Amino acid sequence: MDLTSASINFSIIYPEISLLIAAALILVSVFHKSANRIAPYIALIGIVVSIAMIFKQWGHQESGFFGMITCDSFGVTFKLIFDVTALLSLLIAHRYMISKGINRPEFYALLLISTMGMMVMANTTDLIVIFLGLEIMSVPLYVMAGFAKRSLWSSEAGIKYFIMGAFASSFLLMGIAFIYGASSTTDLRRIVADFHFIMSNSPAYMLTGMALILVGFGFKIGAVPFHSWVPDVYEGAPTPVTAFFSVGPKAAGIAALLRIFIFGFANVMMLSTVFWVLAVLTMSVGNILALKQNNIKRLLAYSSIAHAGYILVALTVGGNDAISAAIFYLVAYIMFNLGAFAVVTLMETRSGCKSDFSELVGLAKVHPYLAAVLTLFMFALAGFPPTAGFFGKFYIFSAAIKSGYIWLAVIGMLNSFLSVYYYLRVVKTSYFDSSDKSFIPVKYSLSIIIVLVITVIGTLGIGLFPQQFLNWSQSALFAFL
Amino acid sequence: MISISSYVIVAAVLFGIGTLGVLISRNIIILFMSLELMLNAASLAIIAFSRELNVIDGHVFVFLILAVAAAEAAVGLAMVITLFRNKETLNIDRFNLMKW
């Protein structure tokens, strides 16, 4: 705690505050009889105001709350990422919640609070505040995963997510305790300043602490061998919720990992070896297990594990090139992954659908545009040019090769070849397969169309102008801390 | 005066018991207790370090951790109740709708 800069400086948390006000309004409005209808609009306004506040913060470099909250371009970039994720998830969720009869106003409040937690997590250099942000993010997510409380699937997913999440948080907290014991502070900036002294003084506490923190975040971002909860939770949770936590918490986890391990403990020798092993395991296991899935949500779950692996490659490499590539990849991934989930959600608004492959048969005949959009997202996930997915992978692997991690890049590329098989299987099923059951048409809604338009523009736009976009993600690293 | 290492050992043992409990136990309520034990082990370690290093921050952190643990327990128990209503059991081996 830095008591010399004795200022609170509320202006750096305006985006968080506007989300919180919107959430509070929704919780108050619960008692009004038309709360179901107005809640999504309140949430929408909250997010839009929050985005406006973020643009006002752009390029500032401040800290407040006695040094416990920082506001730098890295954090602001991530705030924007979280807000866009929340906005798209909200639009995806609205119609689905109505069609499943679970359109209750709390959902939108939980979404906003969880987003606020992510922002806290990405905008601090203090380990305890990172932990608090993580909890503010996770506790609403547990509830959201189990939101369809009459559904066995959803409540099972909720409890599994809760147990694994709380387990991971305890590991993280124990790690923080050890690092606090070794360095007598939880502020990363002060730990970095005295790093060599602390390391030579109490290496055992320091290394134990780092290992425990890594395990905690490994669970949170779904890295192998801590991934076992991911497919179950993704499959059981309501689909828009799955969409939200396939990108939001993952991005927050990556942001915190970047803060702690790339900025904080970058000088530890074994660290890149540990990340190397994690990255290779995560990519390979994710892709191999995805090959034989027959449920699209489960397939996307394994694919999200594999994508976390690609981002871990960038973390292994370290350095400005790789980290800006990681941010580039994260934004691109948000676009095409949320797009794919929007299509899946749209399919699931028909009654009795569980997102099995067989339900895709005949999609191209009934809805040619929807099938084309789905194909685009699958190509982007697999990494075909000229989509955003291709350039994301390209920048990460070229950064790896430049820094001499040839084998890592080779394994990564082999993995993306492998992934082509299962992504194209989705395309093949929707275009070429036939069955005796006729395809039940889906009903579009305005919000889903908006999401599809935004994500298609994002996927293609980032793919067509990658250089401009890379410059943008490099500017996020300007004055990293 | 008890040395800091004894506190750390106790915390580590508690943490280990909690971890084992989460991995081994088949009853969700026992599992919850184990999770709480893990959080409390971390709190104990932080308190001990805070006293040893003469930095007051740690005491404050423990209050924050207690609040977090309470929030987690509230959400978790509520979810156990919804689950029990759906399935009438607390044995986690029965929650196997989704498997790969």
Side-chain angles (χ1 to χ4, degrees), chain A residues 1 68 126 128 131-132 135 138-139 142-143 146 148-160 162-163 165-167 169-171 173-174 176-186 190 205 212 228 231-233 235-237 289 292-293 298 302, chain B residues 4-5 8 11-12 15 18-20 22-23 28 31-32 35-36 38-43 45-47 49-51 53 55-61 64-65 68-69 71-73 75-77 79-80 82-83 85-87 92 94-100:
Chain A
M1 224 181 289
M68 297 197 112
D126 196 288
I128 283 291
F131 173 75
L132 283 180
E135 287 299 318
S138 301
V139 173
Y142 306 147
V143 184
K149 62 182 179 189
R150 303 249 177 277
S151 150
L152 261 178
W153 300 77
S154 177
S155 44
E156 188 178 321
I159 203 86
K160 279 183 178 167
F162 172 77
I163 289 169
F167 194 56
S169 307
S170 325
F171 272 90
L173 190 64
M174 199 64 188
I176 293 173
F178 275 111
I179 286 184
Y180 176 64
S183 59
S184 80
T185 176
T186 50
R190 281 177 53 198
Y205 284 170
L212 288 169
S228 54
D232 287 3
V233 173
E235 189 188 353
L289 291 182
K292 56 173 197 147
Q293 298 306 321
R298 245 181 136 72
Y302 282 109
Chain B
I4 180 75
S5 55
V8 175
F15 192 78
T19 313
L20 270 182
V22 172
L23 297 177
I28 289 197
L31 215 147
F32 267 15
L35 284 174
E36 291 293 313
M38 290 170 77
L39 278 180
N40 285 336
S43 304
I46 288 181
I47 280 279
F49 283 131
S50 168
R51 189 91 175 88
L53 301 163
V55 194
I56 201 74
D57 300 16
H59 294 37
V60 184
F61 297 157
L64 300 176
I65 294 164
V68 164
E72 263 185 0
V75 165
L77 287 174
M79 281 162 72
V80 171
T82 57
L83 201 57
R85 277 192 187 143
N86 282 333
K87 203 142 181 171
I92 49 167
R94 298 279 308 282
F95 303 130
N96 52 4
L97 267 177
M98 292 164 287
K99 253 197 197 143
W100 54 285

Side-chain angles (χ1 to χ4, degrees), chain A residues 250-282:
Chain A
K250 204 156 270 191
I254 298 287
L257 272 181
L258 283 172
R259 286 259 199 221
I260 296 175
F261 285 99
I262 302 299
F263 168 71
F265 307 142
N267 299 327
V268 186
M269 290 309 288
M270 301 167 295
L271 214 56
S272 69
T273 319
V274 174
F275 272 111
W276 196 96
V277 174
L278 267 186
V280 168
L281 273 179
T282 308

